[in-house]
PDB file of all heavy atoms in Angstrom:
ATOM      1  N   ASP A   1     154.341 100.131  62.354  1.00  0.00           N
ATOM      2  CA  ASP A   1     152.919 100.005  62.072  1.00  0.00           C
ATOM      3  C   ASP A   1     152.614  98.771  61.235  1.00  0.00           C
ATOM      4  O   ASP A   1     151.521  98.213  61.290  1.00  0.00           O
ATOM      5  CB  ASP A   1     152.426 101.256  61.336  1.00  0.00           C
ATOM      6  CG  ASP A   1     152.540 102.502  62.201  1.00  0.00           C
ATOM      7  OD1 ASP A   1     152.363 102.380  63.424  1.00  0.00           O
ATOM      8  OD2 ASP A   1     152.830 103.577  61.649  1.00  0.00           O
ATOM      9  N   ALA A   2     153.596  98.362  60.439  1.00  0.00           N
ATOM     10  CA  ALA A   2     153.408  97.176  59.601  1.00  0.00           C
ATOM     11  C   ALA A   2     154.683  96.340  59.641  1.00  0.00           C
ATOM     12  O   ALA A   2     155.789  96.869  59.490  1.00  0.00           O
ATOM     13  CB  ALA A   2     153.089  97.581  58.170  1.00  0.00           C
ATOM     14  N   GLU A   3     154.510  95.062  59.869  1.00  0.00           N
ATOM     15  CA  GLU A   3     155.642  94.139  59.886  1.00  0.00           C
ATOM     16  C   GLU A   3     155.286  92.905  59.063  1.00  0.00           C
ATOM     17  O   GLU A   3     154.099  92.585  58.891  1.00  0.00           O
ATOM     18  CB  GLU A   3     155.990  93.712  61.322  1.00  0.00           C
ATOM     19  CG  GLU A   3     156.672  94.790  62.127  1.00  0.00           C
ATOM     20  CD  GLU A   3     157.153  94.287  63.484  1.00  0.00           C
ATOM     21  OE1 GLU A   3     156.398  93.544  64.150  1.00  0.00           O
ATOM     22  OE2 GLU A   3     158.264  94.647  63.882  1.00  0.00           O
ATOM     23  N   PRO A   4     156.285  92.198  58.565  1.00  0.00           N
ATOM     24  CA  PRO A   4     155.974  90.966  57.832  1.00  0.00           C
ATOM     25  C   PRO A   4     155.427  89.898  58.770  1.00  0.00           C
ATOM     26  O   PRO A   4     155.565  89.995  59.992  1.00  0.00           O
ATOM     27  CB  PRO A   4     157.341  90.550  57.271  1.00  0.00           C
ATOM     28  CG  PRO A   4     158.335  91.176  58.179  1.00  0.00           C
ATOM     29  CD  PRO A   4     157.732  92.462  58.623  1.00  0.00           C
ATOM     30  N   ASN A   5     154.834  88.887  58.197  1.00  0.00           N
ATOM     31  CA  ASN A   5     154.431  87.714  58.961  1.00  0.00           C
ATOM     32  C   ASN A   5     155.687  86.884  59.196  1.00  0.00           C
ATOM     33  O   ASN A   5     156.180  86.202  58.307  1.00  0.00           O
ATOM     34  CB  ASN A   5     153.381  86.917  58.187  1.00  0.00           C
ATOM     35  CG  ASN A   5     152.848  85.744  58.982  1.00  0.00           C
ATOM     36  OD1 ASN A   5     153.592  85.047  59.665  1.00  0.00           O
ATOM     37  ND2 ASN A   5     151.546  85.499  58.867  1.00  0.00           N
ATOM     38  N   PHE A   6     156.244  86.981  60.403  1.00  0.00           N
ATOM     39  CA  PHE A   6     157.519  86.325  60.676  1.00  0.00           C
ATOM     40  C   PHE A   6     157.412  84.804  60.593  1.00  0.00           C
ATOM     41  O   PHE A   6     158.393  84.117  60.295  1.00  0.00           O
ATOM     42  CB  PHE A   6     158.048  86.747  62.043  1.00  0.00           C
ATOM     43  CG  PHE A   6     158.415  88.212  62.126  1.00  0.00           C
ATOM     44  CD1 PHE A   6     157.762  89.050  63.014  1.00  0.00           C
ATOM     45  CD2 PHE A   6     159.398  88.743  61.309  1.00  0.00           C
ATOM     46  CE1 PHE A   6     158.090  90.400  63.091  1.00  0.00           C
ATOM     47  CE2 PHE A   6     159.732  90.090  61.370  1.00  0.00           C
ATOM     48  CZ  PHE A   6     159.079  90.922  62.272  1.00  0.00           C
ATOM     49  N   GLN A   7     156.222  84.275  60.865  1.00  0.00           N
ATOM     50  CA  GLN A   7     156.022  82.826  60.762  1.00  0.00           C
ATOM     51  C   GLN A   7     156.190  82.356  59.310  1.00  0.00           C
ATOM     52  O   GLN A   7     156.903  81.395  59.030  1.00  0.00           O
ATOM     53  CB  GLN A   7     154.623  82.456  61.257  1.00  0.00           C
ATOM     54  CG  GLN A   7     154.323  82.893  62.677  1.00  0.00           C
ATOM     55  CD  GLN A   7     155.231  82.222  63.683  1.00  0.00           C
ATOM     56  OE1 GLN A   7     155.164  81.007  63.857  1.00  0.00           O
ATOM     57  NE2 GLN A   7     156.109  82.977  64.300  1.00  0.00           N
ATOM     58  N   LEU A   8     155.544  83.074  58.403  1.00  0.00           N
ATOM     59  CA  LEU A   8     155.649  82.705  56.988  1.00  0.00           C
ATOM     60  C   LEU A   8     157.059  82.953  56.466  1.00  0.00           C
ATOM     61  O   LEU A   8     157.553  82.204  55.614  1.00  0.00           O
ATOM     62  CB  LEU A   8     154.630  83.495  56.169  1.00  0.00           C
ATOM     63  CG  LEU A   8     153.154  83.180  56.445  1.00  0.00           C
ATOM     64  CD1 LEU A   8     152.259  84.049  55.576  1.00  0.00           C
ATOM     65  CD2 LEU A   8     152.856  81.697  56.202  1.00  0.00           C
ATOM     66  N   LEU A   9     157.698  84.004  56.975  1.00  0.00           N
ATOM     67  CA  LEU A   9     159.060  84.297  56.550  1.00  0.00           C
ATOM     68  C   LEU A   9     159.995  83.153  56.934  1.00  0.00           C
ATOM     69  O   LEU A   9     160.821  82.702  56.131  1.00  0.00           O
ATOM     70  CB  LEU A   9     159.530  85.609  57.182  1.00  0.00           C
ATOM     71  CG  LEU A   9     160.918  86.109  56.797  1.00  0.00           C
ATOM     72  CD1 LEU A   9     161.026  86.344  55.308  1.00  0.00           C
ATOM     73  CD2 LEU A   9     161.226  87.403  57.557  1.00  0.00           C
ATOM     74  N   ALA A  10     159.862  82.674  58.165  1.00  0.00           N
ATOM     75  CA  ALA A  10     160.684  81.544  58.595  1.00  0.00           C
ATOM     76  C   ALA A  10     160.391  80.310  57.744  1.00  0.00           C
ATOM     77  O   ALA A  10     161.315  79.605  57.320  1.00  0.00           O
ATOM     78  CB  ALA A  10     160.429  81.244  60.071  1.00  0.00           C
ATOM     79  N   GLN A  11     159.125  80.066  57.499  1.00  0.00           N
ATOM     80  CA  GLN A  11     158.754  78.896  56.703  1.00  0.00           C
ATOM     81  C   GLN A  11     159.308  78.983  55.288  1.00  0.00           C
ATOM     82  O   GLN A  11     159.652  77.974  54.672  1.00  0.00           O
ATOM     83  CB  GLN A  11     157.234  78.749  56.691  1.00  0.00           C
ATOM     84  CG  GLN A  11     156.655  78.356  58.047  1.00  0.00           C
ATOM     85  CD  GLN A  11     155.139  78.473  58.098  1.00  0.00           C
ATOM     86  OE1 GLN A  11     154.468  78.364  57.068  1.00  0.00           O
ATOM     87  NE2 GLN A  11     154.597  78.716  59.283  1.00  0.00           N
ATOM     88  N   ALA A  12     159.397  80.203  54.761  1.00  0.00           N
ATOM     89  CA  ALA A  12     159.965  80.382  53.419  1.00  0.00           C
ATOM     90  C   ALA A  12     161.420  79.917  53.370  1.00  0.00           C
ATOM     91  O   ALA A  12     161.904  79.488  52.316  1.00  0.00           O
ATOM     92  CB  ALA A  12     159.878  81.842  53.009  1.00  0.00           C
ATOM     93  N   TYR A  13     162.096  79.985  54.505  1.00  0.00           N
ATOM     94  CA  TYR A  13     163.477  79.506  54.596  1.00  0.00           C
ATOM     95  C   TYR A  13     163.549  78.054  55.082  1.00  0.00           C
ATOM     96  O   TYR A  13     164.641  77.553  55.356  1.00  0.00           O
ATOM     97  CB  TYR A  13     164.293  80.393  55.540  1.00  0.00           C
ATOM     98  CG  TYR A  13     164.647  81.737  54.949  1.00  0.00           C
ATOM     99  CD1 TYR A  13     164.124  82.919  55.487  1.00  0.00           C
ATOM    100  CD2 TYR A  13     165.512  81.836  53.864  1.00  0.00           C
ATOM    101  CE1 TYR A  13     164.456  84.158  54.945  1.00  0.00           C
ATOM    102  CE2 TYR A  13     165.850  83.065  53.327  1.00  0.00           C
ATOM    103  CZ  TYR A  13     165.325  84.222  53.867  1.00  0.00           C
ATOM    104  OH  TYR A  13     165.667  85.438  53.330  1.00  0.00           O
ATOM    105  N   GLY A  14     162.407  77.403  55.202  1.00  0.00           N
ATOM    106  CA  GLY A  14     162.400  76.015  55.658  1.00  0.00           C
ATOM    107  C   GLY A  14     162.660  75.866  57.136  1.00  0.00           C
ATOM    108  O   GLY A  14     163.094  74.807  57.598  1.00  0.00           O
ATOM    109  N   VAL A  15     162.368  76.908  57.894  1.00  0.00           N
ATOM    110  CA  VAL A  15     162.619  76.898  59.340  1.00  0.00           C
ATOM    111  C   VAL A  15     161.287  76.749  60.068  1.00  0.00           C
ATOM    112  O   VAL A  15     160.321  77.482  59.793  1.00  0.00           O
ATOM    113  CB  VAL A  15     163.319  78.200  59.787  1.00  0.00           C
ATOM    114  CG1 VAL A  15     163.425  78.275  61.307  1.00  0.00           C
ATOM    115  CG2 VAL A  15     164.700  78.294  59.149  1.00  0.00           C
ATOM    116  N   LYS A  16     161.235  75.818  60.989  1.00  0.00           N
ATOM    117  CA  LYS A  16     160.023  75.587  61.765  1.00  0.00           C
ATOM    118  C   LYS A  16     159.697  76.823  62.589  1.00  0.00           C
ATOM    119  O   LYS A  16     160.595  77.461  63.145  1.00  0.00           O
ATOM    120  CB  LYS A  16     160.220  74.384  62.686  1.00  0.00           C
ATOM    121  CG  LYS A  16     158.943  73.779  63.209  1.00  0.00           C
ATOM    122  CD  LYS A  16     159.198  72.391  63.797  1.00  0.00           C
ATOM    123  CE  LYS A  16     157.904  71.705  64.156  1.00  0.00           C
ATOM    124  NZ  LYS A  16     158.131  70.335  64.661  1.00  0.00           N
ATOM    125  N   ALA A  17     158.419  77.171  62.685  1.00  0.00           N
ATOM    126  CA  ALA A  17     158.044  78.420  63.345  1.00  0.00           C
ATOM    127  C   ALA A  17     156.898  78.214  64.325  1.00  0.00           C
ATOM    128  O   ALA A  17     155.981  77.425  64.074  1.00  0.00           O
ATOM    129  CB  ALA A  17     157.653  79.473  62.307  1.00  0.00           C
ATOM    130  N   HIS A  18     156.974  78.929  65.453  1.00  0.00           N
ATOM    131  CA  HIS A  18     155.907  78.937  66.456  1.00  0.00           C
ATOM    132  C   HIS A  18     155.669  80.383  66.882  1.00  0.00           C
ATOM    133  O   HIS A  18     156.582  81.213  66.846  1.00  0.00           O
ATOM    134  CB  HIS A  18     156.295  78.127  67.694  1.00  0.00           C
ATOM    135  CG  HIS A  18     156.617  76.696  67.420  1.00  0.00           C
ATOM    136  ND1 HIS A  18     155.659  75.712  67.383  1.00  0.00           N
ATOM    137  CD2 HIS A  18     157.804  76.084  67.162  1.00  0.00           C
ATOM    138  CE1 HIS A  18     156.244  74.544  67.121  1.00  0.00           C
ATOM    139  NE2 HIS A  18     157.540  74.754  66.984  1.00  0.00           N
ATOM    140  N   ARG A  19     154.464  80.672  67.323  1.00  0.00           N
ATOM    141  CA  ARG A  19     154.152  81.993  67.868  1.00  0.00           C
ATOM    142  C   ARG A  19     153.345  81.831  69.148  1.00  0.00           C
ATOM    143  O   ARG A  19     152.322  81.127  69.161  1.00  0.00           O
ATOM    144  CB  ARG A  19     153.357  82.835  66.864  1.00  0.00           C
ATOM    145  CG  ARG A  19     153.104  84.261  67.331  1.00  0.00           C
ATOM    146  CD  ARG A  19     152.518  85.114  66.198  1.00  0.00           C
ATOM    147  NE  ARG A  19     152.380  86.504  66.609  1.00  0.00           N
ATOM    148  CZ  ARG A  19     151.290  87.023  67.170  1.00  0.00           C
ATOM    149  NH1 ARG A  19     150.218  86.234  67.360  1.00  0.00           N
ATOM    150  NH2 ARG A  19     151.248  88.284  67.514  1.00  0.00           N
ATOM    151  N   PHE A  20     153.814  82.459  70.216  1.00  0.00           N
ATOM    152  CA  PHE A  20     153.155  82.317  71.509  1.00  0.00           C
ATOM    153  C   PHE A  20     152.722  83.683  72.031  1.00  0.00           C
ATOM    154  O   PHE A  20     153.475  84.664  71.966  1.00  0.00           O
ATOM    155  CB  PHE A  20     154.095  81.656  72.525  1.00  0.00           C
ATOM    156  CG  PHE A  20     154.546  80.271  72.108  1.00  0.00           C
ATOM    157  CD1 PHE A  20     155.889  79.921  72.145  1.00  0.00           C
ATOM    158  CD2 PHE A  20     153.631  79.325  71.662  1.00  0.00           C
ATOM    159  CE1 PHE A  20     156.311  78.661  71.763  1.00  0.00           C
ATOM    160  CE2 PHE A  20     154.038  78.056  71.268  1.00  0.00           C
ATOM    161  CZ  PHE A  20     155.379  77.725  71.320  1.00  0.00           C
ATOM    162  N   THR A  21     151.497  83.727  72.577  1.00  0.00           N
ATOM    163  CA  THR A  21     150.946  84.986  73.078  1.00  0.00           C
ATOM    164  C   THR A  21     150.347  84.872  74.476  1.00  0.00           C
ATOM    165  O   THR A  21     149.995  85.890  75.071  1.00  0.00           O
ATOM    166  CB  THR A  21     149.839  85.486  72.134  1.00  0.00           C
ATOM    167  OG1 THR A  21     148.790  84.503  72.077  1.00  0.00           O
ATOM    168  CG2 THR A  21     150.376  85.741  70.734  1.00  0.00           C
ATOM    169  N   ASN A  22     150.234  83.649  75.001  1.00  0.00           N
ATOM    170  CA  ASN A  22     149.518  83.425  76.254  1.00  0.00           C
ATOM    171  C   ASN A  22     150.476  83.328  77.440  1.00  0.00           C
ATOM    172  O   ASN A  22     151.253  82.370  77.537  1.00  0.00           O
ATOM    173  CB  ASN A  22     148.691  82.135  76.152  1.00  0.00           C
ATOM    174  CG  ASN A  22     147.781  81.937  77.342  1.00  0.00           C
ATOM    175  OD1 ASN A  22     147.890  82.623  78.366  1.00  0.00           O
ATOM    176  ND2 ASN A  22     146.867  80.979  77.234  1.00  0.00           N
ATOM    177  N   PRO A  23     150.439  84.289  78.377  1.00  0.00           N
ATOM    178  CA  PRO A  23     151.338  84.217  79.537  1.00  0.00           C
ATOM    179  C   PRO A  23     151.053  83.031  80.449  1.00  0.00           C
ATOM    180  O   PRO A  23     151.942  82.595  81.187  1.00  0.00           O
ATOM    181  CB  PRO A  23     151.103  85.550  80.257  1.00  0.00           C
ATOM    182  CG  PRO A  23     149.768  86.013  79.801  1.00  0.00           C
ATOM    183  CD  PRO A  23     149.611  85.518  78.405  1.00  0.00           C
ATOM    184  N   GLU A  24     149.834  82.489  80.391  1.00  0.00           N
ATOM    185  CA  GLU A  24     149.473  81.378  81.269  1.00  0.00           C
ATOM    186  C   GLU A  24     150.119  80.061  80.833  1.00  0.00           C
ATOM    187  O   GLU A  24     150.323  79.166  81.655  1.00  0.00           O
ATOM    188  CB  GLU A  24     147.946  81.218  81.305  1.00  0.00           C
ATOM    189  CG  GLU A  24     147.198  82.451  81.799  1.00  0.00           C
ATOM    190  CD  GLU A  24     147.578  82.841  83.221  1.00  0.00           C
ATOM    191  OE1 GLU A  24     147.806  81.922  84.041  1.00  0.00           O
ATOM    192  OE2 GLU A  24     147.659  84.055  83.503  1.00  0.00           O
ATOM    193  N   THR A  25     150.431  79.950  79.546  1.00  0.00           N
ATOM    194  CA  THR A  25     150.946  78.670  79.037  1.00  0.00           C
ATOM    195  C   THR A  25     152.388  78.744  78.552  1.00  0.00           C
ATOM    196  O   THR A  25     152.902  77.772  78.023  1.00  0.00           O
ATOM    197  CB  THR A  25     150.059  78.187  77.867  1.00  0.00           C
ATOM    198  OG1 THR A  25     150.113  79.151  76.800  1.00  0.00           O
ATOM    199  CG2 THR A  25     148.628  77.986  78.313  1.00  0.00           C
ATOM    200  N   ILE A  26     153.038  79.893  78.737  1.00  0.00           N
ATOM    201  CA  ILE A  26     154.346  80.090  78.117  1.00  0.00           C
ATOM    202  C   ILE A  26     155.392  79.093  78.614  1.00  0.00           C
ATOM    203  O   ILE A  26     156.259  78.660  77.845  1.00  0.00           O
ATOM    204  CB  ILE A  26     154.832  81.557  78.296  1.00  0.00           C
ATOM    205  CG1 ILE A  26     156.100  81.802  77.460  1.00  0.00           C
ATOM    206  CG2 ILE A  26     155.060  81.896  79.751  1.00  0.00           C
ATOM    207  CD1 ILE A  26     155.941  81.604  75.994  1.00  0.00           C
ATOM    208  N   VAL A  27     155.332  78.712  79.882  1.00  0.00           N
ATOM    209  CA  VAL A  27     156.330  77.758  80.408  1.00  0.00           C
ATOM    210  C   VAL A  27     156.227  76.435  79.652  1.00  0.00           C
ATOM    211  O   VAL A  27     157.241  75.868  79.217  1.00  0.00           O
ATOM    212  CB  VAL A  27     156.135  77.547  81.925  1.00  0.00           C
ATOM    213  CG1 VAL A  27     157.082  76.457  82.422  1.00  0.00           C
ATOM    214  CG2 VAL A  27     156.390  78.859  82.674  1.00  0.00           C
ATOM    215  N   LYS A  28     155.004  75.955  79.471  1.00  0.00           N
ATOM    216  CA  LYS A  28     154.796  74.708  78.727  1.00  0.00           C
ATOM    217  C   LYS A  28     155.103  74.903  77.249  1.00  0.00           C
ATOM    218  O   LYS A  28     155.715  74.040  76.592  1.00  0.00           O
ATOM    219  CB  LYS A  28     153.345  74.248  78.900  1.00  0.00           C
ATOM    220  CG  LYS A  28     152.993  72.950  78.187  1.00  0.00           C
ATOM    221  CD  LYS A  28     153.687  71.762  78.833  1.00  0.00           C
ATOM    222  CE  LYS A  28     153.245  70.459  78.193  1.00  0.00           C
ATOM    223  NZ  LYS A  28     153.998  69.310  78.728  1.00  0.00           N
ATOM    224  N   ASP A  29     154.705  76.056  76.698  1.00  0.00           N
ATOM    225  CA  ASP A  29     154.922  76.313  75.271  1.00  0.00           C
ATOM    226  C   ASP A  29     156.397  76.226  74.896  1.00  0.00           C
ATOM    227  O   ASP A  29     156.750  75.723  73.822  1.00  0.00           O
ATOM    228  CB  ASP A  29     154.395  77.711  74.900  1.00  0.00           C
ATOM    229  CG  ASP A  29     152.880  77.804  74.966  1.00  0.00           C
ATOM    230  OD1 ASP A  29     152.219  76.759  74.889  1.00  0.00           O
ATOM    231  OD2 ASP A  29     152.369  78.943  75.095  1.00  0.00           O
ATOM    232  N   LEU A  30     157.254  76.726  75.769  1.00  0.00           N
ATOM    233  CA  LEU A  30     158.675  76.801  75.440  1.00  0.00           C
ATOM    234  C   LEU A  30     159.362  75.436  75.383  1.00  0.00           C
ATOM    235  O   LEU A  30     160.513  75.333  74.945  1.00  0.00           O
ATOM    236  CB  LEU A  30     159.401  77.708  76.436  1.00  0.00           C
ATOM    237  CG  LEU A  30     159.136  79.211  76.244  1.00  0.00           C
ATOM    238  CD1 LEU A  30     159.706  80.016  77.409  1.00  0.00           C
ATOM    239  CD2 LEU A  30     159.716  79.703  74.921  1.00  0.00           C
ATOM    240  N   GLU A  31     158.665  74.401  75.769  1.00  0.00           N
ATOM    241  CA  GLU A  31     159.245  73.059  75.669  1.00  0.00           C
ATOM    242  C   GLU A  31     159.486  72.637  74.221  1.00  0.00           C
ATOM    243  O   GLU A  31     160.219  71.688  73.954  1.00  0.00           O
ATOM    244  CB  GLU A  31     158.357  72.039  76.383  1.00  0.00           C
ATOM    245  CG  GLU A  31     158.352  72.225  77.894  1.00  0.00           C
ATOM    246  CD  GLU A  31     157.456  71.235  78.616  1.00  0.00           C
ATOM    247  OE1 GLU A  31     156.889  70.336  77.927  1.00  0.00           O
ATOM    248  OE2 GLU A  31     157.305  71.345  79.843  1.00  0.00           O
TER     249      GLU A  31
END
């Protein structure tokens, strides 16, 4: 029901983060 913000968690470790939700653009997004 509740999860951390994984984007901010990654950034806290200095790791670049992306989040994708659109099935129409996922092929391009994964580049």
Side-chain angles (χ1 to χ4, degrees):
D1 296 326
E3 286 187 317
N5 184 319
F6 294 118
Q7 303 297 294
L8 294 179
L9 183 60
Q11 291 169 27
Y13 286 114
V15 173
K16 198 165 187 177
H18 301 273
R19 185 170 185 269
F20 300 131
T21 60
N22 188 348
E24 301 299 323
T25 62
I26 189 60
V27 174
K28 181 69 175 175
D29 291 338
L30 286 171
E31 291 179 4

